[in-house]
Structures are given as structure tokens and as C-alpha cells.
Amino acid sequence: MLNNRTNNTPPQGQQRLLWIDYMKAIGMYLIVLGHFFPVGHKFIYVFSVPLFFIISGFLSKRESNQKEFWKKLFYNLALPMIIITLSAYSVRSVGDIVLGRYNIGELIKLPITLLLGMWNIFKECWFIYTLILIKIVFQYTRGYITDLVVTLLSLLISWIIYREEFVIFGYNILHNPSSLINLFCCYPFFIIGFYIAKYKRELSTYRITPITIIYFLASLVCVYICYIYNDDVRMYTSYFGDNIFLYLLGGVSGTAMVFFICKYLERYNLGWLKTISVGSIIILGFHIFFIQILRKIFTEPSFLDYVWSLLIILIFVPIITFTQKYLPLLIGKYRTK
């Protein structure tokens, strides 16, 4: 979803990966769609969020200059996250005040809930906070063996957390989701994406052939098996279902499925795809308000949600274009300068 490229123009001699733009656009569509809780949302949840962590890992690298790393982390992720989170929180708070349901205690707790990355404040932006934490861990752990150990430890800790009643600063973490906790179940997909990037040339030159249909169907079957035999995947609550293996298989298989679709679509170079790709952080932070409005009108989940999700994505194209020009800090300094 988010990357640490230094700007929107590829370095000389490098071609922008259009299939990545397609994957991010489709992934963003799936995120928006999933928040409608439409017909089939449990199937979508098997791979929609893992897809973005895999893409993030694919687009990441360990910086040799630590100062440069922290600058990119701040301008690309932390600053936009803080601005978007507080803006969305302010909008929600005004609405709650008007409706007479605002709890002043929430404002008093705001600093600590921000620090802990609590979902009740960050909402859909929990992903960004978790990604920041993952990038810090990733930056300061190096080597195949270390990556494997950290990944296995992350899965173990995630498994322990969900089966125990832990309380941190008065918060039961099972009932109060936190980005700090989500780090553990999300890290494995990020590191998978990082190592997949070692085959970037092969993936970029891959061409659709008749056998691709078999690969696609195999990926689809794997996702369906994970959907049937694993419990609901809810990564925002650090929940991977009943089976860690099916959790990982579903995320990777779903990402492969989207990859094959995008490799077919990359023959169509649509300009607005790049806009969605670059501004996905804006969509992530504010799309929920459009969903809430539509849910007031269309109260029951239906297949129309698939149409509304696409319309929401398209509505954000001019919004992102405006933001790039006049509010570039919301996009990330290193991607817009």
C-alpha cells in the first residue's frame, strides 16, 4: 500500500511497475469493499490485508544510512498518519458532540491511546502504525537466519497473545485492538514480500500464457480452502483464525491470485491507477466516511456494495490529485517532491 520510493518518477533506467500499481489499486478496492461487510466479505478478508503487507515488503529495502531511514519513515508514513488520524478523529468527534454521545474521557486518554496505536483512535489507519513498527524491526534485523527467527517468533507471540488475557495500561488487548500487538501477525507477510522482491525481474517480465489460468485457479482454490477451513481472519485484532498455516497460505495465495489478474491488466495503462497507488494512504484514512453515508441509505449488505466501493475509489482520484498539489504532506514528502 505504501512504499519508500523517493518520488513518483522512477530512477533513470527503471520502468515503473504498472502491475504493482494495479495490485495496490485492486487491494485498495478490496479494503474499501471489506469495510462494507458485503456478501462474501469473509472470503475477501482471507487475503485483502495480507496483500498490502506483502506489497509493502516487496517495495521495501534496508537503508544503509540510518538518518535517511528515519527521515523517510517520518515523511512517508508517520507524519501523514498523524495528520490523517487526528483529522478523521476530529470529524468523528464533532459528529459525536452534535449527537450528544461524545465521551470526554476519550479525549483525556488520547495521548496514551495514540502511543499504543489503539484501534478506537486509529481506526483504518492501524495499518500505517503497524507498518511503521514493522519497518523499524526490519531495519535493525538483518540476515536470512535473523529474518526467519523474527518471523517465527512473531507468529508464536501472535498465537500466545490471542489465547491469553493480557492487560496493558488497563486495556484488555483482546477487546481493545492495538497496532503494537498487530505487529506480530502482520510481520510474516511483510518479510515474505521482501524476499519475493528478489525475483522482481522474473515477475516483471512474466507474460500471461494459457497455463496462467491453471495457476490462477490453483490460487483461487487455495484461498477458498482457507476460507472454508480457517476461522475468520481479522488482522486488525491480531487474529489469524484457527490455523496459522492456513492463515499464511490464504494470504500468499490471494496475493498470487491478484498478481495474475494484474499481469493481464497491465496491458491497459490507465492514468488514474497511478493516482490511486500514490494516494492510497488518503483513501485508507477517509473512505469510511463515504461508507457510513451509504450505509445510512442502503442498510443491508448486497452485491451493490461492490459497485459503491468502486465509486468511492474513483471519487478519491480528484481528491488525491488536489492533495498532491496543495497538501503534499498528506501523501508523503518523499513521494511527491
Side-chain angles (χ1 to χ4, degrees), residues 16-50:
R16 186 179 180 90
L17 301 178
L18 185 58
W19 57 275
I20 285 290
D21 285 334
Y22 264 108
M23 290 188 74
K24 291 172 72 176
I26 290 177
M28 198 69 253
Y29 169 77
L30 292 173
I31 293 296
V32 174
L33 177 61
H35 289 151
F36 270 104
F37 295 97
V39 176
H41 75 274
K42 292 181 180 179
F43 178 86
I44 296 170
Y45 278 21
V46 172
F47 63 94
S48 58
V49 177

Side-chain angles (χ1 to χ4, degrees), residues 64-212:
S64 57
N65 186 314
Q66 300 304 324
K67 183 178 180 181
E68 186 73 6
F69 165 74
W70 286 102
K71 283 178 62 178
K72 288 184 178 181
L73 193 71
F74 177 75
Y75 284 112
N76 284 349
L77 294 176
L79 184 58
M81 177 192 69
I82 293 170
I83 296 173
I84 291 172
T85 297
L86 292 180
S87 297
Y89 173 76
S90 299
V91 172
R92 293 195 303 271
S93 297
V94 169
D96 288 340
I97 291 172
V98 171
L99 296 174
R101 63 188 186 191
Y102 185 76
N103 183 0
I104 192 66
E106 186 174 299
L107 181 61
I108 296 173
K109 293 180 179 180
L110 184 59
I112 190 169
T113 52
L114 283 172
L115 179 63
L116 295 176
M118 304 303 293
W119 186 86
N120 65 315
I121 298 297
F122 282 87
K123 300 296 184 180
E124 290 68 31
C125 287
W126 72 266
F127 170 91
I128 308 173
Y129 195 160
T130 300
L131 183 59
I132 289 172
L133 297 174
I134 287 175
K135 281 182 170 286
I136 293 173
V137 173
F138 174 72
Q139 174 68 14
Y140 291 99
T141 54
R142 298 170 182 262
Y144 296 104
I145 301 300
T146 303
D147 286 338
L148 178 61
V149 170
V150 172
T151 300
L152 293 176
L153 280 176
S154 296
L155 289 171
L156 177 61
I157 293 172
S158 181
W159 182 82
I160 293 173
I161 284 174
Y162 201 81
R163 283 155 177 76
E164 300 292 337
E165 291 286 337
F166 288 106
V167 177
I168 301 177
F169 294 107
Y171 290 98
N172 184 310
I173 61 177
L174 294 183
H175 305 118
N176 298 275
S178 165
S179 294
L180 289 171
I181 305 304
N182 295 342
L183 158 71
F184 301 108
C185 75
C186 297
Y187 188 85
F189 287 118
F190 180 91
I191 207 69
I192 287 171
F194 172 72
Y195 280 99
I196 288 176
K198 296 185 181 299
Y199 302 95
K200 182 183 296 184
R201 182 183 298 275
E202 290 82 358
L203 294 173
S204 297
T205 57
Y206 180 84
R207 294 292 177 263
I208 297 296
T209 63
I211 200 172
T212 302

Side-chain angles (χ1 to χ4, degrees), residues 40 42-44 46 222-232:
K42 292 181 180 179
F43 178 86
I44 296 170
V46 172
C222 286
V223 173
Y224 183 75
I225 290 173
C226 295
Y227 158 68
I228 294 295
Y229 292 102
N230 195 21
D231 196 8
D232 299 350

Side-chain angles (χ1 to χ4, degrees), residues 205-221:
T205 57
Y206 180 84
R207 294 292 177 263
I208 297 296
T209 63
I211 200 172
T212 302
I213 298 176
I214 297 176
Y215 297 153
F216 172 80
L217 291 176
S219 301
L220 177 61
V221 168

